[in-house]
Amino acid sequence: RELKRKRPSSSQESAAVAEDENANDINVKNENSDGSNQKEEAVTKKRKLRRLDMAQVEDYNEKLKRRGVVYIARIPPAMGPAKVKSLMEDFGEVTRVYLVEEDASERKRRRRAGGNGSKRYLEGWVEFSERWVAKRVGLSVNNTPITNNKRSKHYGDRWNVKFLRKFQWSHLTEKVAYERRMREQKLTMEMLQAKKENAAYASLVEAGRKIDKIEQKRKRKAEKNGELIPELTKSVRIRQINPLEPTKRLGDKGVLESLVSL
């Protein structure tokens, strides 16, 4: 006999397809979980902190004490931190540079007037790895030309630098943090003042609306009764000043009358 193969029903086919999809989803989830676990392990490896030896910390503190800071009173236009560092590295190893940007309002005013709208800096501090190098720079570089190349933008400009004795970079960071904190406090005070003014203005507007509604009701009532609409007149109160009484002065006639009466 020829064996007839039974064809699977539609319900069996859908069940088989659902099982295959579930198996694929489980495999994808497993792959995603494996990838996320690998990422978490990499993050935990990066977060591991190294323990510093006391000898290394003391060595680093001694290096900080040996450093010197130079103050630059004027930064020429078109000169940024990278340019200052490259120019100062000709005299010695530069560890850190900090420049103070100009106010944004000054930049906008200059741009409106048709000037250059590029970023400018007002003053700056440069830290050298050795204090004696910073002292030598403050004494020898002050009031000297920045460059002798006539094609350079800084031709004709001079250095205005000074060596800061007993000054460390931590003092500068404290100064910057204090200025930032004061700026934030000033901003919060201005915001509070603006909120108070807005609240007062809103209360006045609400009072004006109430007065307008009262006037409209009075007009409607007068129109219904056939009465004249009363005109609201603002009462102005004038403070009356009492007149001064004239003082009697004893002149020559007053003296003679007093003598005659006697």
Side-chain angles (χ1 to χ4, degrees):
R1 294 180 181 179
E2 294 179 358
L3 297 174
K4 294 181 180 180
R5 295 180 180 177
K6 292 183 179 180
R7 190 175 182 180
S9 62
S10 60
S11 60
Q12 291 177 354
E13 289 179 355
S14 60
V17 171
E19 288 178 358
D20 294 336
E21 290 179 354
N22 292 329
N24 293 328
D25 293 337
I26 291 168
N27 293 329
V28 171
K29 288 180 180 178
N30 291 330
E31 290 177 358
N32 293 331
S33 62
D34 294 336
S36 62
N37 291 330
Q38 290 177 359
K39 289 181 180 179
E40 290 178 357
E41 289 177 359
V43 170
T44 52
K45 287 180 180 178
K46 288 182 180 179
R47 288 180 181 175
K48 286 183 179 179
L49 301 175
R50 294 183 302 173
R51 293 183 179 178
L52 296 176
D53 297 333
M54 291 301 297
Q56 294 178 355
V57 174
E58 291 177 357
D59 189 14
Y60 180 72
N61 291 331
E62 289 179 359
K63 287 181 180 179
L64 289 178
K65 290 179 181 179
R66 287 199 301 267
R67 293 179 180 179
V69 182
V70 172
Y71 171 70
I72 304 176
R74 178 183 175 274
I75 306 297
M79 183 179 286
K83 184 67 176 177
V84 172
K85 185 176 181 180
S86 64
L87 291 173
M88 286 295 174
E89 280 180 346
D90 296 337
F91 308 103
E93 183 183 355
V94 177
T95 54
R96 285 178 283 194
V97 177
Y98 176 74
L99 302 182
V100 179
E101 296 182 8
E102 66 175 351
D103 194 9
S105 60
E106 293 290 336
R107 186 179 177 186
K108 289 180 180 178
R109 193 180 296 112
R110 187 175 66 252
R111 187 179 295 175
R112 288 175 184 173
N116 190 4
S118 60
K119 188 184 293 186
R120 289 186 182 179
Y121 298 92
L122 303 176
E123 57 184 358
W125 289 262
V126 180
E127 186 186 44
F128 290 91
S129 59
E130 297 293 339
R131 184 181 294 275
W132 64 271
V133 176
K135 187 175 182 180
R136 187 184 63 184
V137 170
L139 294 174
S140 61
V141 179
N142 187 28
N143 201 19
T144 58
I146 294 175
T147 180
N148 293 322
N149 187 6
K150 293 183 178 181
R151 295 183 180 180
S152 177
K153 295 179 181 179
H154 310 297
Y155 179 76
D157 293 328
R158 291 178 172 272
W159 287 114
N160 190 358
V161 299
K162 182 181 180 181
F163 170 67
L164 300 178
R165 185 169 171 269
K166 294 183 180 180
F167 186 86
Q168 296 180 359
W169 198 261
S170 59
H171 300 158
L172 180 61
T173 54
E174 290 174 1
K175 175 179 175 293
V176 173
Y178 174 75
E179 290 178 353
R180 187 183 295 111
R181 190 164 56 252
M182 293 298 294
R183 197 182 304 114
E184 290 176 357
Q185 289 180 0
K186 186 178 179 181
L187 184 61
T188 53
M189 292 295 292
E190 290 177 355
M191 292 291 289
L192 291 173
Q193 185 67 22
K195 286 181 180 179
K196 287 181 181 179
E197 292 177 357
N198 291 333
Y201 179 75
S203 63
L204 291 174
V205 171
E206 189 66 25
R209 287 178 181 174
K210 290 180 181 179
I211 293 170
D212 292 338
K213 288 181 180 179
I214 293 169
E215 289 180 358
Q216 289 176 2
K217 287 181 180 179
R218 292 178 66 182
K219 287 180 181 180
R220 289 173 186 172
K221 187 176 181 180
E223 288 177 355
K224 285 181 180 180
N225 298 329
E227 298 176 355
L228 295 175
I229 300 171
E231 295 181 358
L232 295 175
T233 57
K234 294 181 179 179
S235 61
V236 180
R237 186 177 180 182
I238 301 172
R239 293 183 179 179
Q240 183 67 29
I241 299 173
N242 297 326
L244 297 174
E245 296 180 358
T247 57
K248 295 181 179 180
R249 295 181 180 180
L250 295 174
D252 296 336
K253 293 183 179 180
V255 174
L256 292 173
E257 289 177 357
S258 61
L259 291 172
V260 170
S261 62
L262 290 172

